Amino acid sequence: MFAAQPAWAQTTAEAPAADADRSGITDIVVTARKQAESLQEVPMSISAVAGKDLENAGYTELNDVARLSGNVFFEAADRSKPQIYIRGVGTRSYDAGSDSSVGIFIDGVYLGRFGAMDMDLMDVERVELLRGPQGSLYGRNTIGGAISVVTRDPSPTFKGRLSGELGASDIGGDWLYSLNAAISGPIAGDDVRGSLSVTRRYRAGYQPVSIANIRGGSEDAWSGRGKLMFNLGEATLRLSADYSHLDGPPLVLVPNQLGGAANNPGPVTPGFVTPAEPTDPYHLSMDTPGQGIVKETYGWSAQLNVPFGAFELTSITALRKLKLNELDDLDGTTLPFQVYLADEDGKQFSQEMRLNYKSDTLSVLLGAYYSKEDVSRTEIINFGPASLLSALVNPAPLKWDFGLNLASKSSALFGQIQWEPVEKLSLTLGGRYSWDEKNVVFDTRSTVPGFIISNFTTPIARKWHSFDPSVSLSYKFTDDVMGYASYTSGFKSGAFQFIAVSPVIAQQVANPESVDSYEAGLRTTLLDRHLRLNAAAFSMNYRDLQQLRVIQFAPGVTAILTANAANSRIKGFEMEGRAVFNSNWSLDFSYGYLDAKFQNYVFNPTLDFSGNRMQRAPKSTLSLGLNFESKTGLGDLTTRIGYAYRSGIFFEADNNVVDPQSSEGALGLWDASLNLKNGNWTIGIWGRNLSDQRYRRQVLNSTGNAQRGIWAEPRTFGARISYDF
């Protein structure tokens, strides 16, 4: 029951059922515009889904929302490299010098580091997805859109839950389990409430790799979340804290030409032969033991809401931390060629202040935002004896260290005025003025200085500012039909280099991206509240895209350069909704069409990518969810059968001209779940990828460089049991 705004989120995301009869559609309440309001009153393209329903379907990670929403691509190479695109706007970077084009927020707190974005859905009330730039309401770098995760508040009455889950995939030896314990309720009457949730997750892994003795897709994780809620007279204070420790999955890189030519990963030492490409991407061999990712994320936040008359003051103070260690076999073979290591340590502080005013015809929001990030990240490449570069300096070991220390500050003033000059007509004006300042220090080291690269330290500082306005006009034709038109400007901060092989490369800084977005839409509830049908059409002018390209800085040796390389025009539409046939059957649906092409992209003097389809921008996306609910002699039964379709995509801007394996064909995934609740007990079963599609989630390369693919999970089943008290 997922689609774009699944009304099956009735227990957590909807108004009381008194708004409609039992077989009709009730209102979904969202806080996308920093105030509680019906989803159908929001003049923008927005989707919402309840965390409880994601859990029942077996969806446990934030990237699963892409299966439910049109024009959204959210795949992760691993749990530290998410690649999020909304309406074709996104970034494939994951380094400390770049920022995401889609903002991820948890309880209003912006998550700045890529490694913290692909989170588990634990104790989640709902997930709201906003398409298009969101500068007048949300933090920095929301040029593509925003995903807002809202966690559950402590309950007014004592309650708790114990749950366990067991599952397996079609790959031998791959099994999984999870355990969860949660408790919530009053601590000191109505004045103090608290909640605590702890989760343990384990998966053996669906890609067994011999010699290295690892398994791709494995996971060993602990996480916890606690919240205290204080009623201070009319004011409310929420204190939240969370912690997560993840070991895995390793980044298993599979050569793209399965069973084909054994392409060398680079210049190979004479006498070494690149092994044959594997024929099965789920049964591999590599020579590097100890591969994996160990990630630790934690943080706390304090949200204070103080109402006084028609006004309300909101303060959100937050501190986030991330620690990351990674080890990968970069060539993806048994050839002792290259090993990649990464270490990252990041700290983020943010403070947001908002003042809301509301009357019958006027709503005003004024806000100020400040954030500070300190990040230290080192990328290391160890060259093995099969690398010709290593052989040339033998017996000295060859290792390159690319260090980057980032100190970033961002400040903004933002606001929005919503005015109803006459009944049913509403005009909204908004804007954001942003100041971004970044100071970085590149620290590049080599064990053999002067061979290809030298030791150097280069500090660089940049400042940017931008004013991004927005305006929308909406009209309620009836109580259940609203139309709107809007214009929004978006901005994403400038970017530094992924790695710097020379002081000249380090000095190359990409300018900010910008977008002008035009949108018109309808939000309707029809057929006596048995059909919710929302639609939006949009056109965007997207400028100064920060793209990755390969440069050659020595014979047979290349480096990745981040630069402003392109402009594009993106057009499309979304349609989504829910049909309730009777008290038992309902259908959630969403469809997105995207025409995303580069208008101007001259890659180099001999390659022109102008007119090519943009990366990770499928032309069509479709989601269907057929739901059945009924009371039986055994308890309350709920079932769902879901289908998610995505047309073919290109992973690189060359559209297979240079890299013929850099695309993935059309993909259709079937999911299903069944849950039976009897009293305090609930049992359920779920299945993902029921037709066992074998496909690549990502391809990591840059045009003209070696290609390696990351393969998705095969058919996977699970069973769950829980007890509520």
Side-chain angles (χ1 to χ4, degrees), residues 514-527:
S514 63
V515 68
D516 291 312
S517 177
Y518 304 86
E519 182 178 317
L522 283 172
R523 309 193 73 80
T524 69
T525 308
L526 308 172
L527 302 180

Side-chain angles (χ1 to χ4, degrees), residues 185-194 228-231:
I187 297 176
D190 293 334
D191 293 333
V192 183
R193 288 183 274 165
L228 290 173
M229 186 171 170
F230 300 86
N231 291 323

Side-chain angles (χ1 to χ4, degrees), residues 381 400-402 442 444-445 451-456 497-506 551-554 557-561:
I381 299 177
W400 291 348
D401 289 22
F402 301 100
F442 289 97
T444 297
R445 293 287 178 264
F451 178 75
I452 309 298
I453 67 172
S454 297
N455 297 341
F456 68 89
Q497 296 307 314
F498 173 48
I499 58 176
V501 297
S502 72
V504 174
I505 296 298
I551 60 171
Q552 183 169 323
F553 66 95
V557 183
T558 59
I560 298 174
L561 179 70

Side-chain angles (χ1 to χ4, degrees), residues 94 129 137 198 240 263 304 324 435 437 557 565 585 606 652 666:
Y94 51 86
L129 188 147
L137 289 171
V198 179
S240 301
N263 293 331
L304 178 65
L324 175 71
W435 296 268
E437 177 182 350
V557 183
W585 291 95
T606 62
E652 295 300 333

